[in-house]
Amino acid sequence: MKRPKCPAVYCLAALALMLLSACAREEEPRTIRIGVALYLQEDTFISTVAQQLQQLAMVEEEARGVKINLSTVDGRGNQSVQNEQVDRFLDRDCDVICVNIVDRTAAAVLIDKAQAAGVPIIFFNREPVEEDLNRWERAYYVGSRADRAGTLQGELVLDAWRFSREELDRNGDGILQYVMLEGEQGHQDALMRTEYSIRTLVSAGVPVEKLANNNADWQRGQAKMRMQQWLEELEKPIEVVFANNDDMALGAIDAWLEERLPPEEMPFIVGVDATPPALAAVAEGTLKGTVQNDARGQAERMLELCCDLASGAEPSPERITDGHYVWLWYTAVTRENLAGFLPE
Ligand code: GAL
Ligand code: CA
C-alpha cells in the first residue's frame, strides 16, 4: 500500500475530529437517574402522580438542560418486593430515589441503605414516622397535611348542615347520621381524614351519630360492597357518607344507583383527591364535594428536589420544613368552584 503523500493533512484531520467529538461530549446533557418506587401502580391517585412525574420530567429537562432518566416500579402492595426494588435502584447507581412506601413503619431500613450508598431518598404520599426521617439529613417527605383534608371535608358537610339542614337531616331528628369509608388500616391519611372530618363537625356543635365504619382500602369495588351491606342492614337512613378518598366515594354512589334507590334521596357523599371521575360526579351532582389532593404539585416539588439534590445543590430552605418536609395544600372542591379544577 502506498503511504499517504502528506501525513500532516491526515494528522490535522484527525485532530479536528478529536476536537469535534470532545465538543460534542461537552454539550451532551448530564443525566439524572431517578428511581420511583410506587406502593401500588393501579391506585388511581398514585397512577396520576406517576403520570405527572413523567410529564413534568420533560419540562424540567428543558428548563435545566439535563436529561432525566425516570425509572418507575410497582411494589404491588408488598414491602419485601419494594425493598428489593430499592436495592436494585441503589445497585444501578440512581442519583435519587423516590419511595411511595408500602408500610409506613418500614422506612428505617430503606433510609439506612440509602445513607450507606450516599443516595438521597424522598418519600411521598405515605408519610414515614418522624423518628425514621430524622435518621439522615438527606431523607425527605413530600406530601399534604393529612388532617387538613379531613377538616375540609368536615367543613363541606358543615356548610350543608348550616344552609340546607332539611335536605341533610332526612329523618329530622336534629342529629347527623353518617357512615365512614376508611382507606387502608394504619395509613396516615385514613386515620387523620377520619378523625378531623368528624372533629370539625363536633367542634362546631353539630350532633353526630356514627351508624357504621369500615376499611375499603381506597378501592371503589370494596367500598361499593360495604355500602351495599349498610344499605341492607342499617335501620336509620344514612345522611352523610364520608369517604377517605374519591374512589371509595364513587363506590358508595355505585351501590346506591345499583340498588335503584331514588337519586334525590342519595346521602350527602364527600371524597378526597379530585380525580377526573370524581370531578365528573361533582358536575353531575352525585358527589357533593371533594378535596383536591395536589398530584401535580407533589410531582413538581419532588422533581425539583430530585434535580437539586442530584446536582449537589442545597434544596431551598424556604420550601423545607423541619429539615425534612415539603408540604402541599389541599383545596375543597364543590360544584361552585369546579371549573377551576377541570383539566384544561
Ligand atoms: C391518599 C389518596 C388515596 C390513595 C392513598 C395511597 O393520599 O387520597 O386515594 O391514593 O393516598 O397511599
Ligand atoms: Ca338525622
Side-chain angles (χ1 to χ4, degrees):
M1 213 170 75
K2 269 178 141 187
R3 303 203 59 200
K5 276 197 189 120
C6 180
V9 172
Y10 289 91
C11 287
L12 274 174
L15 194 68
L17 264 175
M18 269 164 60
L19 279 172
L20 266 174
S21 69
C23 289
R25 258 205 308 279
E26 248 172 45
E27 272 168 22
E28 229 168 65
R30 182 175 128 59
T31 301
I32 297 179
R33 279 155 309 193
I34 305 175
V36 182
L38 308 177
Y39 94 100
L40 183 69
Q41 180 122 34
E42 69 186 29
D43 178 295
T44 309
F45 174 71
I46 293 304
S47 65
T48 314
V49 177
Q51 280 161 18
Q52 293 289 346
L53 278 171
Q54 293 286 356
Q55 283 173 17
L56 289 164
M58 291 192 271
V59 177
E60 204 74 11
E61 278 182 334
E62 281 277 307
R64 299 198 182 226
V66 292
K67 172 137 189 26
I68 299 179
N69 186 337
L70 208 64
S71 158
T72 306
V73 291
D74 179 5
R76 302 191 299 279
N78 182 324
Q79 191 59 58
S80 3
V81 168
Q82 188 172 65
N83 287 356
E84 284 166 20
Q85 291 170 333
V86 170
D87 285 343
R88 274 200 294 278
F89 282 151
L90 293 172
D91 289 346
R92 274 163 32 198
D93 290 334
C94 276
D95 296 300
V96 189
I97 295 179
C98 298
V99 184
N100 177 218
I101 197 163
V102 175
D103 171 0
R104 68 183 287 254
T105 63
V109 178
L110 296 183
I111 294 172
D112 292 351
K113 281 181 185 178
Q115 181 175 18
V119 176
I121 185 162
I122 303 171
F123 294 89
F124 66 101
N125 166 263
R126 301 163 74 90
E127 187 184 340
V129 278
E130 199 182 343
E131 297 98 272
D132 287 349
L133 273 190
N134 285 335
R135 291 170 88 87
W136 187 33
E137 76 264 19
R138 286 290 179 245
Y140 299 92
Y141 176 67
V142 175
S144 306
R145 301 258 189 198
D147 56 339
R148 178 84 189 139
T151 304
L152 289 171
Q153 265 192 328
E155 285 171 1
L156 287 170
V157 176
L158 183 60
D159 276 355
W161 182 258
R162 285 190 176 140
F163 304 115
S164 33
R165 174 97 44 107
E166 297 82 70
E167 224 180 286
L168 203 59
D169 185 13
R170 290 196 181 280
N171 65 354
D173 67 352
I175 301 168
L176 196 142
Q177 277 81 20
Y178 74 92
V179 294
M180 182 72 71
L181 283 165
E182 295 167 20
E184 292 160 270
Q185 229 157 15
H187 192 302
Q188 182 83 341
D189 289 344
L191 297 170
M192 303 295 259
R193 290 174 191 174
T194 299
E195 181 183 340
Y196 279 81
S197 51
I198 301 308
R199 193 188 269 213
T200 305
L201 290 169
V202 172
S203 12
V206 181
V208 296
E209 180 184 2
K210 180 168 77 184
L211 299 180
N213 67 302
N214 216 327
N215 290 93
D217 291 348
W218 310 117
Q219 292 173 26
R220 187 165 177 163
Q222 279 196 39
K224 181 176 145 191
M225 273 162 31
R226 303 271 184 241
M227 184 71 176
Q228 276 167 336
Q229 199 182 348
W230 291 334
L231 289 172
E232 261 171 44
E233 288 172 2
L234 295 175
E235 277 164 22
K236 292 191 184 168
I238 301 170
E239 293 171 344
V240 172
V241 178
F242 284 100
N244 285 169
N245 79 340
D246 284 343
D247 269 8
M248 296 191 294
L250 294 172
I253 295 171
D254 292 343
W256 188 270
L257 296 177
E258 230 168 76
E259 295 296 313
R260 298 186 182 282
L261 295 163
E264 65 283 1
E265 283 172 28
M266 195 183 285
F268 192 96
I269 302 176
V270 286
V272 177
D273 281 341
T275 59
L279 294 176
V282 173
E284 254 173 32
T286 45
L287 185 63
K288 290 296 182 297
T290 182
V291 176
Q292 188 207 29
N293 198 358
D294 189 358
R296 190 177 174 85
Q298 292 181 22
E300 245 164 23
R301 291 290 109 77
M302 255 193 286
L303 274 176
E304 271 168 22
L305 192 55
C306 283
C307 291
D308 283 352
L309 292 166
S311 57
E314 203 47 43
S316 78
E318 65 270 19
R319 287 248 171 83
I320 313 267
T321 310
D322 299 332
H324 298 278
Y325 295 89
V326 178
W327 292 118
L328 285 114
W329 283 96
Y330 282 112
T331 320
V333 186
T334 61
R335 242 176 163 175
E336 278 69 57
N337 65 349
L338 179 65
F341 295 87
L342 294 171
E344 282 147 22

